[in-house]
Amino acid sequence: MGVELFDTSTPVHGLREELRAAVARVLDSERYILGPEVSAFEAEFAAYCGAGHAVGVANGTEAITIALRAMGVGPGDEVVVPSFTFYASAEAIPPTGATPIFCDIDPQTYCVTADTVRAALTPRTKAVIAVHLFGNVAPIAEIEALGVPVLEDAAQAAGSTVGEERPGALGTAATFSFFPSKNLGCFGDGGMITTGDEQLAERVRTLRFHGSHDKVTYEQIGYNSRLDELQAAILRVQLPHLDAWADGRRRAGCHYEEAGLGELVALPQPTAGAAPAWHLYVISDPQVERLEAALAAAGIGHKPYYRTPVHRQAPMLGWAAGVELPATEHAARTHLAIPMSPVLTREQASEVVVATRATLA
Ligand SMILES: Cc1ncc(COP(=O)(O)O)c(C=O)c1O
């Protein structure tokens, strides 16, 4: 039968009328930039995360650059970042003038730890970017206990929880992406910065708007980086469903476990206390190429996301001399994302497991 890697359309199918009405509302309002929909979504998203403030920006990459600058990161500073992540987590650092310093991960959770971060700290470290990779939740409090401010890269972790808390309210600030395939996705590009610090939020608001409050006087070199009214209206329709979708993602992970996938390959391990809304369900196996071929033959979606880790990508080589990250290299070599969505059924999970068993058992 085959199983798609993602299913982004089924979850929103029942919301089509509401989405059309939201788009019509924006058209009728004739307000397209920084209007009532963005303000309302910022308030709703801040409340959802349990963060004091949320500021909409153009995408999850600029969210990181702007958040770092609002945290005071600039030329001469170092920012610690994992190498096993989407390229943008590190790409967003050099535009601040700072230098990326690559750190390793825990091979079971795919997240940074206090130990891997500690190994990368120097007197020039100004911030750490802790990526909540694949929807897992990095141990922010343990990293902050090292005495360094943490920016959560929560692009993949909307809907995840850790105890009573959520990504977005764990570090000094957090960034989100609303790229269409994300757990909460809009119909274009979009991003958000959350923080509990009112002054930091105000700096973000200024930076996203050309470094200005009024587009008359300019306080600094900023960005034109705004979430637009259409995307905010679309996101407002979807946000009330995020928790149910997150439950569906967790349920899909359970389907894989119950079908015996853990007997065949290494399953992703939640960090302590976390209930990840798996954005990607990433397994690991030494014979991953064989598995890729078998899944392709069975029409089952799969993707190795980060075969070449960020510190070995050409533009990063100047910042990666002598960097050795054994867990990152292992994960890069052996990981594979298999189908995951809020609506992945028990039958689909067992189809994936049958194809895996036929290849690896
Ligand atoms: C971990 C991570 N960080 C940052 C980003 C950048 O987000 P965007 O594509 O919205 O710029 C993404 C997603 O694309 C991501 O997965």
Side-chain angles (χ1 to χ4, degrees):
M1 248 163 46
V3 188
E4 305 266 12
L5 185 59
F6 292 128
D7 182 350
T8 48
S9 56
T10 307
V12 291
H13 203 78
L15 301 177
R16 281 179 172 235
E17 283 315 307
E18 261 186 272
L19 288 164
R20 283 202 184 93
V23 169
R25 192 170 70 229
V26 174
L27 293 185
D28 290 345
S29 79
E30 298 183 4
R31 291 279 304 272
Y32 301 120
I33 298 286
L34 294 186
E37 299 290 340
V38 169
S39 301
F41 180 60
E42 287 175 340
E44 289 157 10
F45 194 73
Y48 175 84
C49 294
H53 312 274
V55 184
V57 292
N59 55 65
T61 308
E62 290 183 353
I64 298 172
T65 304
I66 292 172
L68 288 174
R69 281 196 58 198
M71 288 166 70
V73 171
D77 294 331
E78 293 179 351
V79 177
V80 176
V81 65
S83 171
F84 192 70
T85 178
F86 179 52
Y87 181 71
S89 304
E91 179 192 28
I93 299 169
T96 67
T99 302
I101 302 293
F102 295 101
C103 75
D104 217 346
I105 50 161
D106 176 328
Q108 292 187 318
T109 67
Y110 301 115
C111 287
V112 298
T113 69
D115 284 340
T116 67
V117 168
R118 189 187 291 108
L121 296 180
T122 78
R124 288 166 64 194
T125 308
K126 189 76 177 218
V128 174
I129 297 176
V131 183
H132 297 312
L133 200 67
F134 305 143
N136 216 346
V137 185
I140 304 301
E142 289 173 29
I143 299 166
E144 283 199 324
L146 300 171
V148 61
V150 177
L151 176 63
E152 304 170 64
D153 179 348
Q156 300 186 3
S160 296
T161 60
V162 55
E164 299 295 304
E165 295 182 300
R166 293 181 186 284
L170 306 174
T172 298
T175 59
F176 290 84
S177 163
F178 302 125
F179 186 79
S181 64
K182 293 290 192 271
N183 292 1
L184 179 64
C186 59
F187 296 169
D189 275 309
M192 188 71 87
I193 297 166
T194 58
T195 180
D197 178 335
E198 163 63 32
Q199 288 176 349
L200 198 157
E202 196 44 40
R203 288 196 292 277
V204 167
R205 279 186 208 105
T206 309
L207 281 167
R208 78 168 168 184
F209 191 65
H210 303 284
S212 174
H213 280 99
D214 53 10
K215 235 175 166 182
V216 177
T217 50
Y218 299 87
E219 296 154 29
Q220 53 190 322
I221 301 293
Y223 306 84
N224 175 4
S225 185
R226 299 173 299 228
L227 184 67
D228 66 63
E229 287 285 287
L230 274 172
Q231 302 307 337
I234 286 163
L235 288 160
R236 291 185 70 198
V237 173
Q238 297 186 65
L239 182 60
H241 302 274
L242 177 56
D243 279 342
W245 293 337
D247 284 341
R249 291 175 180 277
R250 286 186 274 268
R251 205 161 40 242
C254 291
H255 292 334
Y256 281 129
E257 285 177 36
E258 286 160 15
L261 188 61
E263 295 150 24
L264 305 167
V265 296
L267 302 183
Q269 298 301 311
T271 52
W278 299 115
H279 170 56
L280 300 173
Y281 197 78
V282 173
I283 55 98
S284 160
D285 190 81
Q287 302 186 66
V288 75
E289 279 97 2
R290 272 184 67 200
L291 184 57
E292 281 184 68
L295 294 179
I300 292 171
H302 58 280
K303 188 170 168 184
Y305 269 78
Y306 312 129
R307 265 301 171 259
T308 304
V310 179
H311 75 288
R312 290 202 281 104
Q313 299 286 349
M316 298 289 162
L317 293 179
W319 295 299
V323 170
E324 287 185 16
L325 306 171
T328 294
E329 298 294 353
H330 181 263
R333 225 174 18 249
T334 59
H335 80 285
L336 192 67
I338 59 173
M340 171 49 66
S341 83
V343 291
L344 187 97
T345 62
R346 190 180 294 281
E347 292 67 33
Q348 288 174 315
S350 92
E351 196 177 326
V352 177
V353 176
V354 166
T356 305
R357 183 169 282 120
T359 319
L360 298 182

